Amino acid sequence: MLAGKPKIDLGVNIDHIAVLREARKINDPDPIMALGICTQAGADQITIHLREDRRHIHDNDAYRIIASSPIPVNLECSIDSEIISIVCSLKPHRATLVPEKRAEVTTEGGLDVSGSYQEILNSINILKESEIEISLFIDPTAQAVEMSKKLGAQWVELHTGTYANLYAMRHSALPHSHHAIESLRLSPHELDARLLEAYEAIRNAAEHAQRLGLKVAAGHGLNYQNVTQITSIDAITELNIGQSIIARSVFTGLSRAVLDMKELCKR
Ligand code: PXP
């Protein structure tokens, strides 16, 4: 760590292990097996998303993970009243409120903090009664930061998806998301300008939030290529990263997995 630079905590989003399990609808791989490995490797937090449709993480996963995690658990959830009451009974260290659409592949944008102000406030008040720390997953804009402060959140998590997509379009042949293909028509010069704009929006929102006394996390689409630029923003003290870590672990762990099976295949 550079002298004088604030430390950045890493929250590892382990939903992606449940995504693999649900592809087969069996018990393997069990996301709970990741807790010890992530903790030993230096993760500061475990992040999971209890979706309304329970398509990845189930109630029982959330219950077991929160009960046995050696490090704090950040539970992402929508503002649906039934979900909020489950979250209160699960008592994670933190709840991150996120927008949720049934048809989406992953969380597509930040919360509509103005349009859904009253519903978000009701959820925050209920969660606070259970002494759960609150974070709001928002787009990196001054207005969303200010509304989050007004709503009484302790944290904001800035959505880095636009930055991640533009970064991938600029630096690799394919966009980060298959949904962003139309933007491939932009010239490298236009992409550079858009990428800088997306980065500065994150930096400005992070610094604004810090000035207002909010703690600042960021996440979505961060990977081994694009994360360094985000770590240069001192106001951001936590990153929540899932897909790229679990994706890399498939390859870094494959050799051991084949060796173990090869050993069992010996007569
Ligand atoms: N933060 C939030 C609020 C998210 O919804 C997600 C995606 O589940 C992440 C971070 C992690 O994103 P990724 O899996 O792209 O690293």
Side-chain angles (χ1 to χ4, degrees):
M1 191 172 71
L2 295 175
K5 286 262 178 195
K7 174 178 177 280
I8 300 186
D9 283 339
L10 175 64
V12 180
N13 183 318
I14 61 171
D15 287 357
H16 308 274
I17 300 172
V19 171
L20 188 55
R21 176 189 64 188
E22 293 307 308
R24 272 288 178 100
K25 305 248 176 268
I26 52 173
N27 297 326
D28 185 36
D30 186 340
I32 204 163
M33 298 293 285
L35 300 181
I37 300 168
C38 293
T39 306
Q40 274 206 331
D44 302 285
Q45 169 172 272
I46 295 293
T47 294
I48 50 174
H49 186 170
L50 186 66
R51 284 185 165 270
E52 288 169 29
D53 61 9
R54 313 297 202 274
R55 70 168 101 132
H56 309 137
I57 292 289
H58 303 161
D59 297 44
N60 187 37
D61 294 321
Y63 173 77
R64 291 182 305 136
I65 288 167
I66 292 165
S68 56
S69 178
I71 51 177
V73 176
N74 169 30
L75 183 57
E76 295 175 12
C77 64
S78 75
I79 54 171
D80 173 79
S81 59
E82 201 186 310
I83 287 282
I84 293 292
S85 67
I86 293 171
V87 173
C88 287
S89 67
L90 289 169
K91 273 198 178 286
H93 183 80
R94 190 190 308 163
T96 297
L97 301 182
V98 301
E100 213 177 282
K101 293 188 217 127
R102 296 253 163 169
E104 70 191 358
V105 176
T106 181
T107 317
E108 281 166 358
L111 282 165
D112 180 6
V113 273
S114 303
S116 307
Y117 187 90
Q118 196 53 48
E119 295 94 314
I120 296 172
L121 186 62
N122 294 345
S123 303
I124 289 179
N125 289 338
I126 296 169
L127 290 165
K128 278 191 173 169
E129 275 172 33
S130 294
E131 296 178 359
I132 298 167
E133 194 176 50
I134 317 288
S135 180
L136 301 181
F137 189 46
I138 57 170
D139 291 322
T141 67
Q143 198 218 9
V145 166
E146 283 158 21
M147 294 304 263
S148 302
K149 176 70 185 171
K150 202 168 149 202
L151 280 158
Q154 291 104 329
W155 283 83
V156 285
E157 178 170 339
L158 303 175
H159 196 305
T160 51
T162 302
Y163 161 82
N165 262 327
L166 289 163
Y167 191 100
M169 284 178 229
R170 180 65 183 92
H171 297 284
S172 65
L174 283 172
H176 166 72
S177 157
H178 299 292
H179 304 290
I181 295 216
E182 74 280 359
S183 308
L184 273 175
R185 289 186 214 104
L186 294 174
S187 69
H189 181 70
E190 287 168 316
L191 272 174
D192 277 339
R194 292 266 299 270
L195 181 57
L196 183 64
E197 204 180 299
Y199 168 75
E200 290 201 326
I202 296 167
R203 197 186 52 184
N204 291 337
E207 289 172 356
H208 192 45
Q210 190 184 47
R211 274 194 299 273
L212 294 180
L214 291 160
K215 288 181 262 189
V216 189
H220 206 92
L222 296 179
N223 61 30
Y224 296 84
Q225 290 76 46
N226 65 25
V227 73
T228 306
Q229 210 183 354
I230 297 298
T231 63
S232 72
I233 303 172
D234 289 350
I236 296 176
T237 59
E238 179 188 289
L239 298 175
N240 286 302
I241 306 182
Q243 171 77 26
S244 63
I245 295 176
I246 304 303
R248 177 173 285 216
S249 75
V250 171
F251 301 114
T252 55
L254 188 57
S255 170
R256 180 76 258 165
V258 173
L259 283 166
D260 289 349
M261 186 55 83
K262 190 77 187 156
E263 195 55 32
L264 291 171
C265 291
K266 280 183 187 158
R267 277 198 236 264

